[in-house]
Amino acid sequence: MSSLRARLIALALGVVLVQGPAAGQTHAELRGGVAVGSHTGTAAGLDFAPAFSYEALVIRPITPLLSVYGGYARTAFGCEEGFCLDRDLTVNGSHGVLGAEARKGWAWLRLGVLFGKTEVGTEGESPDMGPGLHLGAGVALGSGRFRVLPGLSYRWLSANTPSSSDHAVAVAADLGVGIRLGPPKDNQR
């Protein structure tokens, strides 16, 4: 695991876990799915060349309807048009993520910020660290210790280099598995 990735994960998990007593129980969540997207520097537009993307999150309820989350997001999608034509390139983003989740019944909605690097392939200039935006929506199926969480996500990623100002946008369909950490609280089953 890269040093940057390890630091982003540690920072995000630390912020979530230091929140103190909360209205609910901390959950860990792993999400994986396919993403498609576009990168302004490639002049490709929206490319329908899916690639595997994933997230590892820790979610801590603050109230019955609001939680905070943090973790790591890896975004990837193919690039086949524009400057990517005949080059078989993949856009990759590695980001720490912090945000808030609103939950009502079985539905959830997330809004967060990302910070990390986004690059196209392995050639060219090294990408700069930059911010991003994380949006997600889905449903929680099941109860008790384990949950299945299908959803959709949208990520806006800074993709700047020392000589260019670019960004990437990705849309993903993914499936998550959540597990409650620790024993249940008195009011949870």
Side-chain angles (χ1 to χ4, degrees):
M1 182 183 303
S2 76
S3 170
L4 169 64
R5 188 177 303 166
R7 282 184 267 161
L8 290 172
I9 291 171
L11 174 67
L13 293 178
V15 168
V16 171
L17 295 176
V18 181
Q19 294 296 320
Q25 187 73 38
T26 301
H27 287 79
E29 182 176 313
L30 294 174
R31 306 187 64 74
V34 293
V36 296
S38 67
H39 182 278
T40 57
T42 64
L46 180 62
D47 251 338
F48 288 97
F52 182 69
S53 294
Y54 62 89
E55 298 176 357
L57 304 173
V58 174
I59 302 162
R60 179 76 177 178
I62 301 300
T63 72
L65 299 176
L66 184 66
S67 301
V68 293
Y69 68 91
Y72 175 77
R74 176 73 171 175
T75 307
F77 56 88
C79 180
E80 298 176 339
E81 303 293 326
F83 299 128
C84 298
L85 195 60
D86 299 325
R87 295 182 67 198
D88 192 31
L89 295 175
T90 302
V91 177
N92 293 297
S94 295
H95 294 81
V97 59
L98 293 172
E101 173 186 276
R103 180 180 300 271
K104 180 72 173 169
W106 47 268
W108 53 265
L109 180 65
R110 294 180 182 156
L111 173 62
V113 293
L114 299 161
F115 190 75
K117 293 182 178 183
T118 305
E119 62 187 336
V120 180
T122 57
E123 302 172 5
E125 294 179 300
S126 179
D128 293 336
M129 296 287 288
L133 179 65
H134 180 262
L135 299 169
V139 296
L141 306 174
S143 61
R145 190 169 187 87
F146 297 96
R147 295 179 296 169
V148 176
L149 302 127
L152 299 172
S153 68
Y154 170 88
R155 298 178 191 147
W156 183 96
L157 312 166
S158 172
N160 296 337
T161 64
S163 66
S164 69
S165 216
D166 296 317
H167 70 273
V169 173
V171 178
D174 48 27
L175 182 62
V177 177
I179 182 170
R180 184 181 62 235
L181 303 176
K185 301 258 185 202
D186 292 336
N187 62 349
Q188 292 183 335
R189 302 246 184 262

